[in-house]
Amino acid sequence: MKLVDFYGRNVTVILTDGSSVKGTVNDYIYPEDNENRKESIIIDTNSGKIIELYEHDMLSVSVEE
């Protein structure tokens, strides 16, 4: 999964714990820029929160049209 491809898109993310997050990807963080060396995306959620999600915590990402 190439997380950078979701930048600026409205997405639904299914997490490994079975929960889901919907919102707009407003930033992409390269692995070398994260302390844990994992790539991530920052999502402005539909509920108004801003969260960072790491690739290893995601089962799938789908684009909402």
Side-chain angles (χ1 to χ4, degrees):
M1 170 170 22
K2 293 173 109 180
L3 295 181
V4 69
D5 293 342
F6 298 108
Y7 179 76
R9 310 292 299 270
N10 292 321
V11 298
T12 297
V13 180
I14 306 299
L15 303 173
T16 56
D17 69 0
S19 65
S20 65
V21 176
K22 291 184 178 189
T24 303
V25 178
N26 63 21
D27 204 357
Y28 168 80
I29 310 299
Y30 289 93
E32 55 270 15
D33 293 334
N34 269 328
E35 288 183 19
N36 64 8
R37 297 294 187 219
K38 306 286 184 182
E39 72 176 329
S40 63
I41 52 177
I42 307 293
I43 297 181
D44 185 0
T45 68
N46 291 350
S47 65
K49 294 182 181 180
I50 296 175
I51 60 171
E52 182 174 14
L53 297 174
Y54 294 93
E55 182 177 30
H56 65 274
D57 293 327
M58 300 178 221
L59 290 177
S60 66
V61 181
S62 59
V63 175
E64 303 297 318
E65 298 298 328

